[in-house]
């Protein structure tokens, strides 16, 4: 799975693009993120539901979201995050949630 996050020079010009094909998420980051996004409240797992949860998390847990994004995109800085598009961040979070559930599901099925 490939996910991308653009850093913009101005409203129309991309300065840099971070790409992650695979990534390793630290348990502590996921633990904080799961609390911020309230995954316990998820019912359907639809993109729309994840987007709603992600928007709430962004507004209430900015440091957790920054840590998550920096875990995924090696070298990403706080200054660069200031120049990213919020809609792209939400899309990245949706992909990360899907990836996490898929990965965790594979791990559980392998153990059984």
């Amino acid at each position: 799975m490939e996910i991308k996050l653009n850093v913009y020079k101005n409203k129309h010009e991309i300065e840099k693009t971070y790409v992650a094909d695979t990534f390793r998420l630290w348990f502590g980051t996921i633990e904080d993120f799961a609390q911020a996004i309230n995954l316990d409240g998820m019912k359907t797992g639809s993109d729309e539901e994840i987007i709603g949860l992600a928007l709430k998390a962004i507004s209430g847990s900015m440091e957790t979201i920054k840590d998550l994004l920096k875990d995924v995109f090696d070298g990403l800085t706080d200054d660069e995050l200031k120049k990213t598009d919020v809609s792209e961040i939400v899309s990245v979070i949706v992909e990360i949630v899907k990836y996490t559930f898929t990965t965790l599901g594979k791990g559980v099925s392998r153990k059984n």
Side-chain angles (χ1 to χ4, degrees), residues 90-110:
V90 170
S91 295
V92 167
I93 290 171
V94 169
E95 292 304 314
I96 291 168
V97 170
K98 289 180 180 179
Y99 174 83
T100 301
F101 282 134
T102 301
T103 303
L104 290 174
K106 287 178 184 175
V108 169
S109 66
R110 274 191 230 140

Side-chain angles (χ1 to χ4, degrees), residues 37-46 49-50 53 97 101:
I37 201 167
N38 189 21
L39 293 178
D40 291 337
M42 193 177 329
K43 293 175 179 57
T44 65
S46 68
E49 185 177 34
I50 296 170
L53 294 172
V97 170
F101 282 134

Side-chain angles (χ1 to χ4, degrees), residues 25-107:
L25 296 174
W26 299 112
F27 181 77
T29 304
I30 289 297
E31 181 179 38
D32 293 345
F33 178 67
Q35 289 175 349
I37 201 167
N38 189 21
L39 293 178
D40 291 337
M42 193 177 329
K43 293 175 179 57
T44 65
S46 68
D47 284 2
E48 293 79 18
E49 185 177 34
I50 296 170
I51 289 168
L53 294 172
L55 289 172
K56 287 180 187 175
I58 287 172
S59 65
S61 303
M62 198 61 73
E63 285 305 313
T64 299
I65 299 301
K66 286 180 181 181
D67 289 345
L68 177 73
L69 294 170
K70 289 189 280 186
D71 272 0
V72 172
F73 299 107
D74 286 334
L76 181 65
T77 67
D78 286 344
D79 286 337
E80 289 174 326
L81 277 168
K82 292 177 183 179
K83 299 185 292 181
T84 58
D85 184 317
V86 172
S87 65
E88 290 181 25
I89 290 174
V90 170
S91 295
V92 167
I93 290 171
V94 169
E95 292 304 314
I96 291 168
V97 170
K98 289 180 180 179
Y99 174 83
T100 301
F101 282 134
T102 301
T103 303
L104 290 174
K106 287 178 184 175

